[in-house]
Amino acid sequence: MGHLTPFLRLAAMLSSRGCLVTLITVKPTVSVAESTHISTFFSTYPHINRLDFEILPCNPPNSTNTDPFFIQFEAISRSVHLLKPLLLSSSPPLSAIFSDFVGSVTVTPLAEHLSIPNYVVSTTSARFSSLFSYLPFLFSENSAKFGGSDNDVQIPGLSPLPLSTIPPPFFNPTLFFTSFAISNAQILPKAKGILLNTFDRFEPDTIAALNNGSVLSSLPPVLPIGPFEPYKFKKGDYLSWVDDQSVGSVVYVSFGSRTAMSKDQIRELGDGLERSGCPFLWVLKSSKVDKEDNEEIEDLLGNSFLERTKNRGIIVKGWVNQEQILAHPAIGGFISHCGWNSVMEAARHGVPVLAWPLHGDQRVNAEVVENAGLGMWVRDWGWGGEKVVKGEEIGEKVREMMSDEKLRNKAMEVGEEARKACQDANGSSVKALMGIIETLRL
Ligand code: BUP
């Protein structure tokens, strides 16, 4: 969902600005959330054309992957020959392709072969996008430094990235995750532009370093066009509970669509929320893929917990409309894994974040959140699964976030900047997006 959501948003954004849009989605999907969103999207936006990219079956015999989402990436890569006829079948013919940065190795050479401009869309922060772009060079020239005794990774033009923020698989170039990332990064210079779901005032130095050639002189223009506008999606029942809560009082808790915590950590988190004394809305996941998430809330947290907190919190197993929740005035804080869409949604609504990054780009994103003044981050809570953080500590940090007036004001300022960037015709993100559309009209 972290990749699908920004594409649905971008499709709606382009379409509402007069572009004729065709959305190509992969079939079959991994999660129920993906298929539900895709079908709801097409029924809500009937003027957006649909093309299904039917990929070859998953599970290649020699795959070492166990993560269902990575198995899907592998299947997509093996189905690349099916993409060309699909692109050529589009009527009217395509004038540009907007593709996911983790699909560049597949799409960019094909777009070049078909002489169609290809904009690569990065679904992460400008800071992580810089690390991603620079990855091939870290392994070739600087590998001693990368794996060595220094505590930082130095990417030209950027403040040093602490080694502890780098996703651990990046230290092993032979892993699928890493070699796949490197191949996608190597092809980036061939794109017409790189679009980011961020905005100038949120990551000014990094965006400047990407664009002035400091990070890599070979990169095409990097265009921040975020926070992406939400697309229309249904309201959830839980909103009536939120409506009854006082302004800024509720803690919203979600670790995104791909992250399930251990049962021990789920229980400690429940304990922490109870100790915090704050009302809470918690999206609970106990399995990576939603269709396998069968465990009942009572079995995970116990009936006595549910009894004690029944007037103070609601726990949702399944999908909520997060953007709508974060827009609600009752939400005063967000415990987040710092998936980048979640960060941009919090920024857009000026909601303070308690960062609890667990995998992948999330630690680098958490640093960005902290530096932008949108949130706080307890570094020693570790990567996901490294340790079980105790309820007492969680409760204390939640109280700290909810009562920190300076943080709340700063987060509100971030929200104002975010809205300025994407609402006003003179907003930096709107101008960048309109610039692309104008180029395509020429
Ligand atoms: Br869960 C959940 N409702 O219940 P991220 C997520 N979302 O609207 P992730 C909901 O999914 P990656 C839910 O608002 C965001 O737009 C949420 O993307 C939405 O994290 C998206 O925040 C989730 O980037 O993706 O899912 O972990 O691994 O790609 O970062």
Short mmCIF file of all heavy atoms in Angstrom, two decimals, residues 13 17 199 225-230 323 327 347-349 414-434:
data_model
loop_
_atom_site.label_atom_id
_atom_site.label_comp_id
_atom_site.label_asym_id
_atom_site.label_seq_id
_atom_site.Cartn_x
_atom_site.Cartn_y
_atom_site.Cartn_z
N MET A 13 -4.41 13.13 -9.20
CA MET A 13 -3.90 14.51 -9.31
C MET A 13 -3.70 14.91 -10.78
O MET A 13 -4.04 16.02 -11.19
CB MET A 13 -2.55 14.63 -8.56
CG MET A 13 -2.69 14.71 -7.05
SD MET A 13 -1.18 14.23 -6.19
CE MET A 13 -0.07 15.54 -6.61
N ARG A 17 -6.12 17.54 -13.33
CA ARG A 17 -5.50 18.70 -13.99
C ARG A 17 -5.51 18.55 -15.52
O ARG A 17 -4.67 19.09 -16.22
CB ARG A 17 -4.07 18.89 -13.47
CG ARG A 17 -4.07 19.42 -12.04
CD ARG A 17 -2.73 19.36 -11.38
NE ARG A 17 -2.77 19.99 -10.07
CZ ARG A 17 -3.20 19.39 -8.96
NH1 ARG A 17 -3.61 18.13 -8.99
NH2 ARG A 17 -3.23 20.04 -7.80
N PHE A 199 8.03 18.08 0.09
CA PHE A 199 7.93 19.48 -0.34
C PHE A 199 9.16 20.24 0.08
O PHE A 199 9.86 19.85 1.03
CB PHE A 199 6.64 20.14 0.15
CG PHE A 199 6.38 20.07 1.64
CD1 PHE A 199 6.57 21.18 2.45
CD2 PHE A 199 5.93 18.91 2.24
CE1 PHE A 199 6.32 21.14 3.81
CE2 PHE A 199 5.68 18.84 3.61
CZ PHE A 199 5.88 19.96 4.39
N ILE A 225 6.73 17.16 -5.38
CA ILE A 225 5.35 17.55 -5.72
C ILE A 225 4.37 17.13 -4.61
O ILE A 225 3.19 16.93 -4.84
CB ILE A 225 4.91 16.97 -7.08
CG1 ILE A 225 5.05 15.43 -7.10
CG2 ILE A 225 5.69 17.57 -8.23
CD1 ILE A 225 4.28 14.79 -8.25
N GLY A 226 4.88 16.97 -3.38
CA GLY A 226 4.03 16.51 -2.29
C GLY A 226 3.64 17.62 -1.34
O GLY A 226 4.04 18.77 -1.54
N PRO A 227 2.90 17.30 -0.25
CA PRO A 227 2.29 16.01 -0.01
C PRO A 227 1.21 15.71 -1.06
O PRO A 227 0.42 16.59 -1.37
CB PRO A 227 1.62 16.16 1.36
CG PRO A 227 2.22 17.35 1.99
CD PRO A 227 2.70 18.23 0.88
N PHE A 228 1.22 14.45 -1.57
CA PHE A 228 0.23 14.07 -2.58
C PHE A 228 -1.17 14.27 -2.01
O PHE A 228 -1.41 14.02 -0.82
CB PHE A 228 0.41 12.60 -2.97
CG PHE A 228 1.59 12.34 -3.88
CD1 PHE A 228 2.50 13.34 -4.18
CD2 PHE A 228 1.78 11.09 -4.44
CE1 PHE A 228 3.59 13.10 -5.03
CE2 PHE A 228 2.87 10.83 -5.29
CZ PHE A 228 3.77 11.84 -5.58
N GLU A 229 -2.07 14.73 -2.88
CA GLU A 229 -3.46 14.98 -2.44
C GLU A 229 -4.16 13.65 -2.21
O GLU A 229 -3.99 12.72 -3.01
CB GLU A 229 -4.22 15.74 -3.53
CG GLU A 229 -3.73 17.15 -3.73
CD GLU A 229 -4.13 17.71 -5.10
OE1 GLU A 229 -4.96 17.11 -5.81
OE2 GLU A 229 -3.58 18.78 -5.44
N PRO A 230 -4.98 13.56 -1.15
CA PRO A 230 -5.72 12.30 -0.95
C PRO A 230 -6.74 12.12 -2.07
O PRO A 230 -7.23 13.09 -2.63
CB PRO A 230 -6.44 12.52 0.38
CG PRO A 230 -6.43 13.97 0.63
CD PRO A 230 -5.28 14.56 -0.13
N GLU A 323 -5.85 8.99 6.26
CA GLU A 323 -5.78 10.41 5.90
C GLU A 323 -6.92 11.16 6.59
O GLU A 323 -6.72 12.25 7.13
CB GLU A 323 -5.87 10.52 4.37
CG GLU A 323 -5.99 11.91 3.85
CD GLU A 323 -4.66 12.65 3.67
OE1 GLU A 323 -3.68 12.01 3.25
OE2 GLU A 323 -4.64 13.86 3.94
N ALA A 327 -6.76 14.01 9.60
CA ALA A 327 -7.35 15.33 9.35
C ALA A 327 -8.29 15.75 10.47
O ALA A 327 -8.71 16.91 10.53
CB ALA A 327 -8.12 15.31 8.02
N ALA A 347 2.37 15.36 8.12
CA ALA A 347 2.86 16.71 7.82
C ALA A 347 1.73 17.57 7.27
O ALA A 347 1.54 18.72 7.68
CB ALA A 347 4.00 16.64 6.80
N ARG A 348 0.97 17.00 6.37
CA ARG A 348 -0.13 17.75 5.74
C ARG A 348 -1.13 18.26 6.77
O ARG A 348 -1.69 19.33 6.63
CB ARG A 348 -0.82 16.81 4.75
CG ARG A 348 -1.89 17.43 3.92
CD ARG A 348 -2.51 16.34 3.04
NE ARG A 348 -3.57 16.88 2.24
CZ ARG A 348 -3.37 17.47 1.06
NH1 ARG A 348 -2.16 17.54 0.55
NH2 ARG A 348 -4.38 17.97 0.40
N HIS A 349 -1.34 17.45 7.83
CA HIS A 349 -2.34 17.84 8.83
C HIS A 349 -1.70 18.38 10.11
O HIS A 349 -2.40 18.61 11.09
CB HIS A 349 -3.26 16.65 9.12
CG HIS A 349 -4.00 16.22 7.89
ND1 HIS A 349 -4.93 17.03 7.28
CD2 HIS A 349 -3.91 15.12 7.12
CE1 HIS A 349 -5.39 16.43 6.19
NE2 HIS A 349 -4.78 15.26 6.07
N VAL A 414 4.52 23.13 10.35
CA VAL A 414 4.83 22.22 9.23
C VAL A 414 3.57 22.01 8.39
O VAL A 414 3.62 22.05 7.15
CB VAL A 414 5.38 20.86 9.75
CG1 VAL A 414 5.48 19.83 8.63
CG2 VAL A 414 6.72 21.04 10.44
N GLY A 415 2.44 21.82 9.07
CA GLY A 415 1.17 21.62 8.36
C GLY A 415 0.85 22.82 7.46
O GLY A 415 0.43 22.65 6.32
N GLU A 416 1.09 24.02 7.98
CA GLU A 416 0.80 25.21 7.16
C GLU A 416 1.70 25.24 5.92
O GLU A 416 1.26 25.53 4.82
CB GLU A 416 1.01 26.49 7.98
CG GLU A 416 -0.24 26.85 8.76
CD GLU A 416 0.06 27.74 9.94
OE1 GLU A 416 0.98 28.58 9.85
OE2 GLU A 416 -0.63 27.60 10.97
N GLU A 417 2.98 24.93 6.13
CA GLU A 417 3.92 24.92 4.99
C GLU A 417 3.50 23.87 3.97
O GLU A 417 3.58 24.10 2.76
CB GLU A 417 5.35 24.56 5.47
CG GLU A 417 5.98 25.55 6.42
CD GLU A 417 6.35 26.86 5.73
OE1 GLU A 417 6.18 26.96 4.52
OE2 GLU A 417 6.82 27.78 6.43
N ALA A 418 3.08 22.70 4.47
CA ALA A 418 2.68 21.61 3.57
C ALA A 418 1.49 22.04 2.74
O ALA A 418 1.45 21.83 1.52
CB ALA A 418 2.34 20.36 4.37
N ARG A 419 0.52 22.65 3.40
CA ARG A 419 -0.69 23.06 2.67
C ARG A 419 -0.35 24.16 1.66
O ARG A 419 -0.86 24.15 0.54
CB ARG A 419 -1.78 23.48 3.65
CG ARG A 419 -2.39 22.26 4.36
CD ARG A 419 -3.61 22.63 5.16
NE ARG A 419 -3.30 23.49 6.29
CZ ARG A 419 -2.89 23.03 7.48
NH1 ARG A 419 -2.75 21.74 7.69
NH2 ARG A 419 -2.63 23.87 8.46
N LYS A 420 0.54 25.07 2.05
CA LYS A 420 0.94 26.14 1.12
C LYS A 420 1.58 25.54 -0.13
O LYS A 420 1.35 25.98 -1.25
CB LYS A 420 1.98 27.04 1.79
CG LYS A 420 1.41 28.35 2.29
CD LYS A 420 2.52 29.30 2.66
CE LYS A 420 2.32 29.82 4.06
NZ LYS A 420 3.53 30.32 4.69
N ALA A 421 2.41 24.50 0.08
CA ALA A 421 3.13 23.91 -1.06
C ALA A 421 2.18 23.27 -2.06
O ALA A 421 2.44 23.25 -3.26
CB ALA A 421 4.13 22.86 -0.55
N CYS A 422 1.05 22.74 -1.55
CA CYS A 422 0.25 21.94 -2.48
C CYS A 422 -1.16 22.47 -2.70
O CYS A 422 -1.89 21.90 -3.50
CB CYS A 422 0.23 20.48 -2.06
SG CYS A 422 -0.55 20.20 -0.50
N GLN A 423 -1.54 23.56 -2.06
CA GLN A 423 -2.91 24.03 -2.28
C GLN A 423 -2.97 25.23 -3.20
O GLN A 423 -3.78 25.32 -4.09
CB GLN A 423 -3.56 24.38 -0.94
CG GLN A 423 -4.28 23.17 -0.37
CD GLN A 423 -4.85 23.43 1.01
OE1 GLN A 423 -4.75 24.53 1.55
NE2 GLN A 423 -5.42 22.41 1.60
N ASP A 424 -2.08 26.14 -2.97
CA ASP A 424 -2.06 27.41 -3.66
C ASP A 424 -1.44 27.22 -5.06
O ASP A 424 -0.53 26.42 -5.21
CB ASP A 424 -1.15 28.28 -2.76
CG ASP A 424 -1.16 29.71 -3.16
OD1 ASP A 424 -1.15 29.95 -4.36
OD2 ASP A 424 -1.15 30.57 -2.25
N ALA A 425 -1.94 27.96 -6.05
CA ALA A 425 -1.36 27.82 -7.40
C ALA A 425 0.11 28.21 -7.41
O ALA A 425 0.89 27.77 -8.26
CB ALA A 425 -2.13 28.69 -8.38
N ASN A 426 0.53 29.05 -6.45
CA ASN A 426 1.94 29.42 -6.38
C ASN A 426 2.74 28.50 -5.49
O ASN A 426 3.94 28.71 -5.27
CB ASN A 426 2.08 30.84 -5.83
CG ASN A 426 1.68 31.84 -6.87
OD1 ASN A 426 2.00 31.64 -8.04
ND2 ASN A 426 0.96 32.87 -6.46
N GLY A 427 2.08 27.49 -4.93
CA GLY A 427 2.78 26.55 -4.04
C GLY A 427 3.88 25.82 -4.80
O GLY A 427 3.71 25.50 -5.99
N SER A 428 5.01 25.56 -4.12
CA SER A 428 6.16 24.97 -4.81
C SER A 428 5.81 23.62 -5.46
O SER A 428 6.24 23.34 -6.58
CB SER A 428 7.32 24.81 -3.82
OG SER A 428 6.88 24.07 -2.70
N SER A 429 5.02 22.81 -4.78
CA SER A 429 4.72 21.48 -5.32
C SER A 429 3.75 21.57 -6.50
O SER A 429 3.89 20.85 -7.48
CB SER A 429 4.12 20.59 -4.22
OG SER A 429 5.10 20.37 -3.23
N VAL A 430 2.77 22.47 -6.39
CA VAL A 430 1.81 22.63 -7.49
C VAL A 430 2.56 23.14 -8.73
O VAL A 430 2.35 22.65 -9.84
CB VAL A 430 0.68 23.63 -7.10
CG1 VAL A 430 -0.23 23.91 -8.28
CG2 VAL A 430 -0.12 23.09 -5.94
N LYS A 431 3.47 24.09 -8.51
CA LYS A 431 4.21 24.64 -9.66
C LYS A 431 5.04 23.56 -10.34
O LYS A 431 5.10 23.47 -11.57
CB LYS A 431 5.11 25.80 -9.21
CG LYS A 431 4.31 27.08 -9.01
CD LYS A 431 5.13 28.31 -9.23
CE LYS A 431 5.88 28.68 -8.01
NZ LYS A 431 6.46 29.97 -7.91
N ALA A 432 5.66 22.70 -9.51
CA ALA A 432 6.50 21.63 -10.09
C ALA A 432 5.64 20.66 -10.90
O ALA A 432 6.00 20.27 -12.01
CB ALA A 432 7.25 20.89 -8.98
N LEU A 433 4.47 20.31 -10.36
CA LEU A 433 3.60 19.37 -11.07
C LEU A 433 3.08 20.00 -12.37
O LEU A 433 3.10 19.36 -13.43
CB LEU A 433 2.43 18.96 -10.17
CG LEU A 433 1.44 17.97 -10.79
CD1 LEU A 433 2.11 16.64 -11.13
CD2 LEU A 433 0.26 17.70 -9.84
N MET A 434 2.65 21.26 -12.29
CA MET A 434 2.14 21.92 -13.49
C MET A 434 3.25 22.07 -14.54
O MET A 434 2.98 21.98 -15.74
CB MET A 434 1.54 23.29 -13.15
CG MET A 434 0.25 23.22 -12.34
SD MET A 434 -0.97 22.04 -12.95
CE MET A 434 -1.47 22.79 -14.49
#
